[in-house]
Amino acid sequence: MTNPNTAVSWVGNADAGHLRLIDQTLLPVELQFLDCTTVEIVWEAIKSLRVRGAPAIGVAAAYGVIVGCQTERDSDPARFETRLRYVIDYLAGSRPTAVNLFWALDRMQKTAAANANLAPPALLDRLLVEARKIEDEDREMCLAIGQHGLPLVKDCAGILTHCNTGGLATAGDGTALAVIFAAARLNPQVQIYADETRPLLQGARLTAWELMQRNVPVTLICDSMAGWVMKEGRVQAVIVGADRIAANGDSANKIGTYSLSMLAKAHGIPFYVAAPSSTFDLSIEHGGQIPIEERISTEITHGFGRQTAPDGCRTYNPAFDVAPATHITALITEKGVIQPVTTANIRSMLGEAV
Ligand code: MRU
């Protein structure tokens, strides 16, 4: 299997089917699938980043609801509803920052509420239809993001990206990587610089792998090299994804994104954030309100099994940071490009009242 576009999929019917994931923790050395047959396996897969990337987490959680509710398929509607509520709350506790998780679970909850008249087996079928819709819509959004973003980067000789925002992180071609794939189709010589993305190396393990699978020229750099790469004039744009975008455009993304946005500003290089509307959280005004996940210290001190810091060394390991709207040249969504990044422009593009 060389097509990363099957990072998250459903196998079988609603009654006895299951969620199938590429176990991203094993890449790039091993390409292995994980069959998630219980909601506990789904929760652990999200928590441990076997499936990761904001849109992919949302799709996985939607399918996770089906897996979790299969146990009550033959129960009465009241027990089914209690189980559904438990499963949704449980999955919502897996990771805090990517709003796509909560957005997808909310859709599943609303679908169940709107079909409360159905008996559990029929409701399970209906929930699977909704989860498939979430997956299909995400694929469509990726396509549209690629098309809308292309004019912004089509003349770049080099583009810098961070973390992984491609087929592994979504149901389609990706967000920032969808724009990069579109640019590479137009100009196969375009040079992509991928930050390795400490501490979990999503850039090295996943982005470099995906780009190489698709013959896009990629050069891997350590995160600390990004400023120098800009100074040397190697990149004309930076493009990243997002896990949650506040109403004013402040964008949470993988740790290191804030520094990149500062560096891009200092070098006069456009800094783009590409994300579907499911990544916007218009209920919060600014990035200071975005919950930032903090992860265990061993990701820093014992990365990939080898001790690299003294015993007992104190660490701080936020998994995300927030690029302020003032550093973002444009937001690229499936509905179009938001530039300049203001609350009014965001609300008008997303079709929400200001
Ligand atoms: O911790 P991760 O690997 O889930 O973090 C992922 C990112 O930060 C991505 O850049 C973001 O989710 C956008 S994915 C299209």
Side-chain angles (χ1 to χ4, degrees):
M1 212 295 301
T2 53
N3 180 1
N5 288 347
T6 50
V8 189
S9 60
W10 181 262
V11 180
N13 60 17
D15 291 356
H18 61 269
L19 168 66
R20 177 168 287 171
L21 305 169
I22 290 179
D23 184 345
Q24 299 187 34
T25 62
L26 304 176
L27 285 171
V29 180
E30 279 177 63
L31 180 57
Q32 265 192 37
F33 289 93
L34 173 69
D35 286 331
C36 302
T37 50
T38 68
V39 71
E40 288 78 18
I41 299 176
V42 179
W43 187 94
E44 194 279 337
I46 296 173
K47 181 78 184 169
S48 305
L49 277 59
R50 298 184 198 286
V51 58
R52 30 92 19 231
I57 291 173
V59 176
Y63 285 134
V65 170
I66 321 286
V67 169
C69 290
Q70 282 169 336
T71 53
E72 299 301 326
R73 180 189 179 276
D74 298 320
S75 299
D76 60 69
R79 282 188 60 149
F80 187 89
E81 200 203 324
T82 304
R83 174 71 182 171
L84 179 86
R85 225 175 294 127
Y86 165 79
V87 164
I88 286 177
D89 286 352
Y90 176 63
L91 288 171
S94 55
R95 293 189 78 188
T97 303
V99 77
N100 308 59
L101 171 71
F102 308 97
W103 169 86
L105 291 173
D106 189 51
R107 263 181 75 161
M108 298 301 278
Q109 170 67 62
K110 286 186 171 134
T111 301
N115 293 279
N117 57 319
L118 297 178
L123 185 50
L124 209 52
D125 284 343
R126 178 63 191 85
L127 287 169
L128 180 58
V129 169
E130 191 64 19
R132 285 195 194 281
K133 258 174 84 177
I134 290 172
E135 181 191 341
D136 292 344
E137 285 170 20
D138 188 62
R139 192 171 297 112
E140 293 298 314
M141 291 195 278
C142 290
L143 256 177
I145 287 171
Q147 283 159 4
H148 288 304
L150 179 59
L152 301 174
V153 299
K154 68 177 176 32
D155 297 322
C156 295
I159 302 172
L160 176 69
T161 190
H162 190 65
C163 197
N164 173 265
T165 61
L168 292 166
T170 63
D173 250 5
T175 55
L177 275 203
V179 179
I180 285 173
F181 287 133
R185 278 194 291 272
L186 196 70
N187 169 20
Q189 307 306 319
V190 65
Q191 298 298 315
I192 308 306
Y193 287 85
D195 279 349
E196 63 179 356
T197 316
R198 281 275 293 151
L200 294 182
L201 304 182
Q202 289 93 331
R205 295 186 302 105
L206 310 177
T207 299
W209 181 78
E210 272 196 52
L211 292 173
M212 290 175 76
Q213 292 268 319
R214 294 180 57 165
N215 294 317
V216 177
V218 56
T219 302
L220 182 63
I221 58 170
C222 301
D223 301 345
S224 51
M225 297 168 187
W228 191 244
V229 162
M230 292 183 199
K231 168 84 176 149
E232 289 184 325
R234 291 171 185 263
V235 294
Q236 291 72 46
V238 177
I239 180 162
V240 298
D243 287 78
R244 193 185 296 227
I245 303 176
N248 72 344
D250 291 351
S251 299
N253 189 49
K254 179 52 55 195
I255 191 75
T257 301
Y258 170 73
S259 311
L260 276 186
S261 75
M262 296 281 289
L263 285 168
K265 199 175 169 72
H267 289 88
I269 293 171
F271 183 85
Y272 300 116
V273 174
S277 48
S278 51
T279 300
F280 285 76
D281 182 355
L282 301 188
S283 74
I284 58 171
E285 284 168 38
H286 58 81
Q289 296 165 294
I290 298 176
I292 300 292
E293 177 182 13
E294 208 174 315
R295 295 185 63 87
I296 51 168
S297 61
T298 48
E299 289 181 353
I300 298 180
T301 59
H302 294 71
F304 303 94
R306 182 177 181 276
Q307 181 170 347
T308 54
D311 282 333
C313 182
R314 197 172 17 236
T315 62
Y316 173 49
N317 187 17
F320 299 94
D321 58 26
V322 179
T326 47
H327 294 183
I328 301 171
T329 311
L331 294 168
I332 305 164
T333 77
E334 82 280 9
K335 294 173 191 258
V337 172
I338 301 171
Q339 185 176 14
V341 179
T342 64
T343 306
N345 285 349
I346 289 171
R347 287 199 185 274
S348 111
M349 180 66 80
L350 297 186
E352 298 271 337
V354 183

